[in-house]
């Protein structure tokens, strides 16, 4: 965006006529290598330097002119150059504005770990799980959330004055295989002035004496949760779906029609292809990506589309069909007051249809000019307890976090009912037989609220969640020597 001021610009005496040449022009590359040489010589000695980040959100340097081969080739060359001149062998990485980044770049051996920058999520814990696990499985490299928040627009944080999104992000990231906790962006005008540092103390206390290398903990998402008292009628709960994908270049799988199967345990087949940006037909017709959902409602419920921003470059349109019959058609026109703005929020809100019990096909489509941001909610849908449980387990220890799925910043902001969840039992296995100490942690106070001893002969240990769990709870399990 600041190409007119860039020293690599030929208009300013540089070697490049346009931005894309920065990645392929031999003179430009030699100049940049000199910069790398200076940076390593100046700061390489410091143990405070975690890694060299070649780009912060490299895709924004080129936008629609992004060229996969040029950018990947540049990262390979510069990664090799860095490793050749850095005697301390710092890690090397790069980052993208879109959640998935570029597999051609992150797959390079010169990139030592991957990152995610993520904003606009109504359910932070689920988003942390989905995006971290996708990258860990795809690249088998450490992963960090290098940037994180509820929106790239600071004003949105006003809807979460107590930083519930930060709390959920911190605890979810520790228990989903990440190399560190999520890294919030809004330090100067959110964390510091509101004195929200207290969120960091509990998680730091919780992991203080974890020997991550020795304990060899691996991620496990706990499924098959059961109520302790199954005779009681517990009803059905909602699913909030945060699309993890987003792409602004041609040829991406999330920028085409896709089908998704929503199961009653909250899992979704094909979720990695569900885009948070629903593209229209005029500005980028080759990115048009209607989403079709195969659903099975156990009782009458709603299918809700949450719109969270519409393009100011032509507006958009939302259509929802049930079993081939269109039930909703809403235009989001580009008004004169909002014209040529990057994004407008005047159409933000919930748009829903009623869905009878049973199996159905629901299609969501944008036949307007440009794009809008989107999440989904299916009410009265899940047939399992409304809890999620993430664990990092080894043969001798485990870390477990259990969260009420409804306890999100978005639900609190919109004054939605957050129902406490009755006791649920969670079964872990794979432990060496023997005696273990189980600690129950208050995730807000950072205190151990209970300790007990458990013995296993078959490697299985069962945990029981507290009465009427409204927020979340954590557990530390360790074999007694």
């Amino acid at each position: 965006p600041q190409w007119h001021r860039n020293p690599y610009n030929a208009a300013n005496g540089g070697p490049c006529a346009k931005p894309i040449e920065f990645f392929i022009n031999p003179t430009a590359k030699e100049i940049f290598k000199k910069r790398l040489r200076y940076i390593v010589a100046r700061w390489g000695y410091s143990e405070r330097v975690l890694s060299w980040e070649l780009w912060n959100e490299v895709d924004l340097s080129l936008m629609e002119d992004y060229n996969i081969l040029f950018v990947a080739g540049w990262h390979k060359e510069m990664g090799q150059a860095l490793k050749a001149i850095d005697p301390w062998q710092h890690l090397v990485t790069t980052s993208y504005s879109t959640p998935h980044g570029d597999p051609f770049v992150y797959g390079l051996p010169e990139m030592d770990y991957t990152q995610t920058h993520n904003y606009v999520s109504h359910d932070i814990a689920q988003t942390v799980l989905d995006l971290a696990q996708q990258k860990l499985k795809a690249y088998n490299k450490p992963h960090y959330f290098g940037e994180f928040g509820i929106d790239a627009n600071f004003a949105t944080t006003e809807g979460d004055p107590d930083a519930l999104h930060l709390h959920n992000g911190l605890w979810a990231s520790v228990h989903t295989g990440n190399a560190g906790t999520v890294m919030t962006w809004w330090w100067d005008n959110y964390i510091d002035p509101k004195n929200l540092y207290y969120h960091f103390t509990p998680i730091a206390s919780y992991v203080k004496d974890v020997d991550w290398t020795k304990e060899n903990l691996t991620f496990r998402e706990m499924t098959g949760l059961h109520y302790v008292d199954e005779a009681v009628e517990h009803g059905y709960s909602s699913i909030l779906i945060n699309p993890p994908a987003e792409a602004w270049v041609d040829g991406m799988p999330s920028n085409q029609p896709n089908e998704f199967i929503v199961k009653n345990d909250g899992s979704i087949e094909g979720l990695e292809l569900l885009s948070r940006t629903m593209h229209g037909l005029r500005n980028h017709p080759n990115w048009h990506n209607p989403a079709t959902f195969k659903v099975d409602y156990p009782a009458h419920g709603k299918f809700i589309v949450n719109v969270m921003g519409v393009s100011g470059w032509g507006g958009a349109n939302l259509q929802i069909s049930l079993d081939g019959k269109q039930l909703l058609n809403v235009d989001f026109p580009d008004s004169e007051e909002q014209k040529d703005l990057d994004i407008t929020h005047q159409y933000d809100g919930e748009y829903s249809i009623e869905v009878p019990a049973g199996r159905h096909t629901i299609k969501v489509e944008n036949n307007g000019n440009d794009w809008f941001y989107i999440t989904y909610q299916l009410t009265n849908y899940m047939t399992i307890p409304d809890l999620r449980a993430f664990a990092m387990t080894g043969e001798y220890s485990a870390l477990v976090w259990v969260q009420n799925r409804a306890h999100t910043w978005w639900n609190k902001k919109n004054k939605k009912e957050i129902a406490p969840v009755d006791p649920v039992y969670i079964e872990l296995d794979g432990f060496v037989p023997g005696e273990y100490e189980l600690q129950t942690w208050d995730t807000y106070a950072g205190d151990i609220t209970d300790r007990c001893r458990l013995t296993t002969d078959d490697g299985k240990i069962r945990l029981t969640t507290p009465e009427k769990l409204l927020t979340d709870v954590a557990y530390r399990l360790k074999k007694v020597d």
Side-chain angles (χ1 to χ4, degrees):
Q2 289 84 39
W3 180 241
H4 65 284
R5 299 170 53 192
N6 197 300
Y8 285 88
N9 188 339
N12 301 323
C16 303
K18 51 186 178 180
I20 189 63
E21 293 183 13
F22 173 83
F23 295 92
I24 55 176
N25 182 286
T27 302
K29 289 194 287 186
E30 287 305 311
I31 293 172
F32 191 79
K33 287 177 183 177
K34 291 179 179 179
R35 180 179 181 179
L36 295 179
R37 180 68 184 89
Y38 171 78
I39 290 172
V40 171
R42 174 64 182 84
W43 290 288
Y45 76 94
S46 176
E47 296 180 357
R48 298 286 188 255
V49 176
L50 169 72
S51 58
W52 309 122
E53 184 184 46
L54 288 171
W55 272 93
N56 177 65
E57 301 186 346
V58 60
D59 50 322
L60 297 187
S61 67
L62 299 171
M63 299 301 287
E64 294 175 26
D65 293 327
Y66 184 92
N67 183 295
I68 291 174
L69 296 179
F70 290 172
V71 175
W74 183 92
H75 276 84
K76 183 176 184 65
E77 183 174 345
M78 296 306 159
Q80 291 176 348
L82 263 176
K83 292 178 182 296
I85 62 175
D86 180 7
W88 299 277
Q89 291 298 293
H90 290 85
L91 303 175
V92 178
T93 189
T94 198
S95 65
Y96 287 80
S97 68
T98 54
H100 286 301
D102 184 341
F104 287 91
V105 173
Y106 280 142
L108 293 171
E110 290 77 17
M111 297 296 103
D112 295 309
Y113 68 86
T114 65
Q115 292 190 60
T116 295
H117 289 189
N118 184 258
Y119 298 91
V120 193
S121 175
H122 290 171
D123 185 354
I124 297 295
Q126 190 65 45
T127 297
V128 167
L129 167 69
D130 293 336
L131 294 175
Q133 282 299 305
Q134 285 172 20
K135 285 196 174 72
L136 288 166
K137 291 174 182 177
Y139 305 111
N140 194 30
K141 298 178 181 181
H143 172 265
Y144 286 89
F145 275 84
E147 282 187 31
F148 144 86
I150 55 178
D151 200 332
N153 179 358
F154 165 70
T156 310
T157 58
E158 295 296 324
D160 188 19
D162 299 321
L164 176 56
H165 81 280
L166 175 61
H167 174 91
N168 286 344
L170 290 170
W171 285 88
S173 52
V174 164
H175 294 85
T176 50
N178 292 276
T181 53
V182 292
M183 301 178 194
T184 182
W185 179 259
W186 301 113
W187 288 97
D188 55 342
N189 46 12
Y190 183 54
I191 300 297
D192 193 67
K194 292 183 180 293
N195 196 24
L196 296 168
Y197 294 103
Y198 62 85
H199 283 293
F200 297 93
T201 302
I203 193 71
S205 300
Y206 175 74
V207 301
K208 184 177 181 180
D209 62 346
V210 177
D211 189 332
W212 295 97
T213 303
K214 182 178 179 181
E215 296 185 36
N216 194 29
L217 302 174
T218 57
F219 168 73
R220 182 188 304 185
E221 183 177 11
M222 308 309 300
T223 58
L225 306 181
H226 299 279
Y227 288 108
V228 172
D229 188 353
E230 294 185 330
V232 175
E233 178 61 48
H234 297 281
Y236 307 116
S237 53
S238 298
I239 297 177
L240 182 61
I241 304 175
N242 283 286
E246 183 182 19
W248 298 90
V249 295
D250 291 337
M252 300 302 289
S254 61
N255 283 350
Q256 63 185 31
N258 285 298
E259 184 175 286
F260 310 92
I261 300 174
V262 185
K263 299 181 180 180
N264 296 112
D265 64 359
S267 62
I268 302 159
E269 288 187 12
L271 179 64
E272 67 278 2
L273 299 179
L274 185 59
S275 176
R276 78 179 185 112
T277 309
M278 181 151 282
H279 293 284
L281 289 171
R282 190 192 73 182
N283 290 8
H284 299 287
N286 53 328
W287 298 353
H288 188 54
N289 54 352
T292 299
F293 298 89
K294 297 290 186 178
V295 299
D296 186 1
Y297 278 74
H300 184 97
K302 289 184 177 181
F303 182 89
I304 302 171
V305 169
N306 296 301
V307 173
M308 305 178 300
V310 177
S311 166
W313 297 88
N317 164 267
L318 168 64
Q319 297 180 16
I320 306 178
S321 299
L322 177 67
D323 299 326
K325 182 180 179 181
Q326 188 178 103
L327 298 185
L328 186 142
N329 188 342
V330 183
D331 285 322
F332 305 137
D334 186 7
S335 65
E336 284 301 318
E337 303 87 60
Q338 304 291 335
K339 195 171 183 62
D340 292 344
L341 291 179
D342 287 338
I343 186 170
T344 174
H345 291 282
Q346 61 180 317
Y347 302 113
D348 287 9
E350 295 184 352
Y351 301 84
S352 65
I353 62 170
E354 301 286 333
V355 184
R359 295 183 177 181
H360 301 281
T361 299
I362 299 173
K363 184 177 182 179
V364 181
E365 190 165 10
N366 173 11
N367 285 330
N369 292 325
D370 213 1
W371 53 264
F372 57 84
Y373 290 134
I374 191 172
T375 65
Y376 306 89
Q377 187 173 9
L378 286 68
T379 69
N380 220 17
Y381 196 87
M382 278 208 312
T383 57
I384 65 169
D386 200 18
L387 295 178
R388 59 166 56 96
F390 303 153
M392 299 294 294
T393 66
E395 292 183 295
Y396 302 92
S397 61
L399 308 175
V400 184
W401 184 60
V402 183
Q403 183 217 7
N404 184 328
R405 287 175 180 260
H407 191 241
T408 66
W409 75 273
W410 177 256
N411 284 343
K412 288 195 71 174
K413 172 183 180 292
N414 291 282
K415 297 181 171 56
K416 293 180 179 288
E417 179 184 3
I418 301 174
V421 181
D422 292 330
V424 169
Y425 65 81
I426 300 168
E427 192 166 85
L428 303 169
D429 58 19
F431 298 107
V432 171
E435 187 177 15
Y436 288 77
E437 180 185 75
L438 177 66
Q439 302 172 353
T440 303
W441 282 73
D442 182 325
T443 61
Y444 286 88
D447 296 330
I448 300 172
T449 59
D450 186 51
R451 297 176 189 263
C452 66
R453 293 291 179 97
L454 303 172
T455 301
T456 177
D457 295 323
D458 59 2
K460 296 180 180 179
I461 291 179
R462 177 176 289 190
L463 312 179
T464 302
T465 60
E467 291 280 346
K468 303 295 183 183
L469 182 58
L470 185 64
T471 57
D472 58 290
V473 63
Y475 300 93
R476 288 279 307 271
L477 183 71
K478 193 166 186 178
K479 192 173 187 301
V480 178
D481 294 331

